[in-house]
Amino acid sequence: MLRSGILLFAFSLMPSTVWAENYFEQIGWVEPNSAVEYQYPQQLEELYRSNDNQLIWFDLHQSSQLEFQLELIDKAGISPILSKQLNQLRYLRNSNLWYQYDLLATDTLLAYMSYAELAKQYGKTWFFEEKITQPLPLPSEAALADLKGSMQSQQLDALIDTYTPDDDSYQALISTYLRIASRIYDVVPLYTQSTRLKRVGDILESREALLQRLEQVDVDLVGIEREIGYYDNQLEDAVKQFQRIHGLKADGIIGPNTIRWLNKSSKDRLKIIAVNAERSRIWPEQRNTIIVVNVPGYEMEYWFAGEQVFKSQVIVGRQKRPTPVMTSNLDSVILNPTWNVPWKIMVEDIIPAVQQDPNYLDKQNIKIIKSWTSSQIINPNMIDWYHTHPKAFPYRMRQMSGANNALGLYKFNTPNDRAIFLHDTPSKHLFEQPSRAFSSGCVRVKDADQLAALLLANQGLNLEEIQQITTQDNKSIPLRERIPVHIIYQTAWSEEGKVQYRDDIYRLDY
């Protein structure tokens, strides 16, 4: 602390270049017993010496920009190490300890650049599995060269931008984050109501609180009267807008789920936005030819030649059998597929069902086969189901093609070691539900016939002609070009100028 005071005093009295060159050539920039912890002390020495032994952060706007990126990482809970450095930076700034601040800002910028470079490779682990608890390696040589160039031109803000996502959805998330953060200390009452449900015409005991809560997520309230005490048609339109923003059934009925989202705190919303802003670093940037499934959004998009040609609702894995974040390639469309029942489903679901109902296999058109490499069919009547331990069951099960097949009439094959793929479903009524986490991990696609037709048409094939030839036969149609399939997990994103929020169905945001 004494040294820093002497340094600040000396800086104020002497020409910085001459004094710094004489002083730091003898002593060095990083104090041996500094209370501030630096991750890259040797690299700091080299950087400051290469900068003519000058301080680097002369523009507080640039250092504030770095602090904001660290704030997002901190709010997202990704790295205790970077969170600690952010807290130290703020302390040094508030204490006017600019020498230590300058060194720590440069040290932290190195860590941020390394984080940004490695996010594509390790982000899936960082954002969904394990936090960053160990110091990151130095950024690449190219990144260090960029840093040195930006130091000389005093354009560190442009450098930080280079290592930060810049797509429209990210920018919309950041704009919303800043708007909410600017009002974080506003006192907004919780919305309450005297009955479980409220409909148009009902008395609203907390109408003003409801309006203030709607304003928090930028719902359009133009033309809505504030002085009346009941639920009118204009307010219902605003509530429906709010429900759509949060993936709820847009029926205008104010019930428990709508109230839960209405009373979501600003702190929680900032957390949600920060987590998803950082996750955007790992999602696919190109939208040439690609399929993207957003699990919490219960939606998928198919892009071809740079245009979105298909968008559909999907059903994803339930909590105990979640659909994983992953990337695969769609290589074929299978018509009238059979279903090789996964071992876990066979053990946990089907064998117990057969023990309860001996006719279950016939009803579901399921055959027992000796193994996946054998076509030998085992007579189910030869099996002692009541004394069979499911985990010791020696055979495999295959559901044959047909109206009741769990995969429906179309399977979109994406070979991977998790056996996760997209498919049709006979249970189409489930698409009517706003929350659709019902499957055992695979993704069920609404209007799968339309997707199949588009996939084949874009490969120069005609689905109707193929179906006329194959009738009810199981047939695999290979695609000439494989299509990347990205299964992502995004609980907040921008759509038509509004940030959309969805429930964290697998509890991965915390």
Side-chain angles (χ1 to χ4, degrees):
M1 188 66 71
L2 177 61
R3 182 188 190 209
S4 63
I6 294 172
L7 287 173
L8 288 172
F9 180 70
F11 275 131
S12 68
L13 295 179
M14 302 182 64
S16 59
T17 301
V18 175
W19 183 85
E21 286 178 356
N22 292 335
Y23 182 83
F24 289 110
E25 282 180 6
Q26 300 175 38
I27 305 299
W29 278 84
V30 179
E31 300 177 53
N33 299 313
S34 172
V36 180
E37 295 181 24
Y38 303 107
Q39 295 188 52
Y40 316 104
Q42 293 183 348
Q43 190 65 44
L44 287 179
E45 293 284 355
E46 179 184 332
L47 285 171
Y48 280 86
R49 292 186 188 282
S50 70
N51 195 47
D52 296 328
N53 283 319
Q54 296 293 302
L55 296 177
I56 293 171
W57 298 88
F58 293 104
D59 188 342
L60 289 181
H61 169 75
Q62 296 181 348
S63 58
S64 295
Q65 186 175 344
L66 173 62
E67 285 186 30
F68 178 70
Q69 295 305 322
L70 296 174
E71 179 180 325
L72 292 175
I73 296 170
D74 175 60
K75 279 283 193 298
I78 294 169
S79 172
I81 293 176
L82 291 176
S83 293
K84 181 178 180 180
Q85 288 197 267
L86 172 62
N87 291 332
Q88 287 184 314
L89 281 171
R90 287 173 169 170
Y91 170 78
L92 295 173
R93 177 194 284 263
N94 293 332
S95 302
N96 292 321
L97 297 174
W98 298 112
Y99 167 73
Q100 292 98 326
Y101 182 92
D102 206 277
L103 279 172
L104 185 60
T106 306
D107 186 73
T108 305
L109 178 57
L110 288 168
Y112 177 72
M113 294 169 70
S114 179
Y115 163 82
E117 283 190 310
L118 296 173
K120 282 287 185 185
Q121 184 177 358
Y122 298 107
K124 181 174 172 291
T125 298
W126 295 344
F127 304 149
F128 296 103
E129 298 170 19
E130 300 176 6
K131 298 179 180 180
I132 304 172
T133 57
Q134 299 296 323
L136 293 165
L138 276 170
S140 66
E141 290 296 326
L144 291 173
D146 288 342
L147 174 56
K148 290 178 181 179
S150 298
M151 288 162 48
Q152 293 172 2
S153 62
Q154 296 187 4
Q155 291 184 329
L156 292 174
D157 52 348
L159 177 71
I160 295 168
D161 282 342
T162 301
Y163 288 84
T164 302
D166 63 354
D167 60 273
D168 291 341
S169 181
Y170 176 85
Q171 295 301 331
L173 286 174
I174 297 307
S175 295
T176 300
Y177 181 98
L178 292 171
R179 179 177 59 78
I180 295 174
S182 69
R183 302 178 60 181
I184 191 70
Y185 297 113
D186 290 358
V187 178
V188 181
L190 295 177
Y191 172 75
T192 60
Q193 57 189 35
S194 59
T195 57
R196 186 172 181 273
L197 303 176
K198 290 288 186 180
R199 297 178 172 85
V200 170
D202 290 344
I203 298 297
L204 291 178
E205 301 84 0
S206 305
R207 181 182 170 98
E208 181 57 31
L210 174 59
L211 292 172
Q212 290 184 45
R213 287 280 160 179
L214 292 173
E215 285 175 329
Q216 284 193 312
V217 291
D218 205 23
V219 169
D220 184 7
L221 300 180
V222 174
I224 292 180
E225 296 185 47
R226 306 190 80 99
E227 303 304 323
I228 61 177
Y230 64 91
Y231 191 11
D232 61 323
N233 290 320
Q234 288 74 25
L235 183 52
E236 182 191 37
D237 290 340
V239 169
K240 287 181 178 179
Q241 184 185 155
F242 178 89
Q243 290 170 330
R244 284 190 290 270
I245 287 173
H246 296 86
L248 304 172
K249 185 177 181 180
D251 55 9
I253 299 173
I254 306 175
N257 283 332
T258 301
I259 294 173
R260 174 171 55 83
W261 274 110
L262 281 168
N263 288 332
K264 184 75 69 174
S265 70
S266 294
K267 180 181 178 181
D268 285 343
R269 288 192 185 273
L270 291 177
K271 164 81 172 178
I272 293 169
I273 293 172
V275 165
N276 287 283
E278 290 308 302
R279 284 179 184 161
S280 67
R281 295 177 183 274
I282 68 173
W283 304 142
E285 297 175 4
Q286 70 88 8
R287 287 292 190 272
N288 185 22
T289 299
I290 192 173
I291 290 174
V292 180
V293 177
N294 182 17
V295 174
Y298 305 114
E299 283 187 340
M300 67 149 287
E301 298 174 352
Y302 168 37
W303 291 70
F304 180 76
E307 294 185 6
Q308 182 184 298
V309 295
F310 181 78
K311 184 175 182 178
S312 177
Q313 298 175 339
V314 298
I315 293 168
V316 300
R318 52 188 182 271
Q319 282 190 341
K320 292 185 177 180
R321 296 179 187 171
T323 300
V325 174
M326 60 179 288
T327 302
S328 58
N329 289 292
L330 197 162
D331 68 357
S332 58
V333 176
I334 301 175
L335 309 182
N336 307 308
T338 58
W339 180 41
N340 292 329
V341 180
W343 185 85
K344 186 173 184 178
I345 296 176
M346 181 180 72
V347 167
E348 295 183 2
D349 300 342
I350 295 181
I351 293 177
V354 176
Q355 291 172 337
Q356 294 291 323
D357 179 5
N359 297 317
Y360 180 85
L361 295 176
D362 284 338
K363 292 176 182 177
Q364 299 297 323
N365 198 16
I366 294 175
K367 304 294 184 184
I368 299 174
I369 57 177
K370 187 174 182 180
S371 69
W372 294 137
T373 58
S374 172
S375 58
Q376 180 182 347
I377 295 177
I378 307 299
N379 186 343
N381 295 325
M382 303 298 293
I383 298 173
D384 183 1
W385 292 102
Y386 299 103
H387 295 93
T388 294
H389 191 285
K391 292 186 178 180
F393 193 72
Y395 307 119
R396 297 293 177 261
M397 294 183 181
R398 176 174 291 149
Q399 187 180 39
M400 309 311 291
S401 302
N404 292 327
N405 187 279
L407 306 186
L409 300 178
Y410 306 93
K411 175 183 176 182
F412 306 99
N413 198 43
T414 54
N416 60 85
D417 56 7
R418 300 187 182 189
I420 298 296
F421 49 84
L422 285 65
H423 63 87
D424 186 19
T425 176
S427 303
K428 293 180 171 50
H429 65 282
L430 294 178
F431 289 110
E432 298 173 5
Q433 302 297 320
S435 299
R436 296 184 292 276
F438 301 124
S439 84
S440 294
C442 288
V443 178
R444 307 176 194 173
V445 181
K446 185 180 181 181
D447 300 322
D449 56 337
Q450 296 179 27
L451 177 60
L454 278 169
L455 288 169
L456 295 176
N458 290 333
Q459 306 274 334
L461 302 171
N462 187 292
L463 177 60
E464 290 186 3
E465 293 178 358
I466 295 171
Q467 287 176 322
Q468 289 174 0
I469 298 172
T470 60
T471 62
Q472 300 300 314
D473 296 337
N474 172 265
K475 182 176 179 61
S476 177
I477 306 170
L479 301 181
R480 294 168 184 164
E481 295 183 9
R482 295 186 174 187
I483 300 174
V485 176
H486 291 257
I487 299 178
I488 70 174
Y489 193 93
Q490 195 82 346
T491 53
W493 69 93
S494 175
E495 189 174 296
E496 297 180 356
K498 298 280 188 183
V499 170
Q500 307 290 307
Y501 300 88
R502 294 297 183 269
D503 282 323
D504 179 18
I505 55 177
Y506 300 153
R507 303 294 297 168
L508 296 177
D509 285 359
Y510 294 90

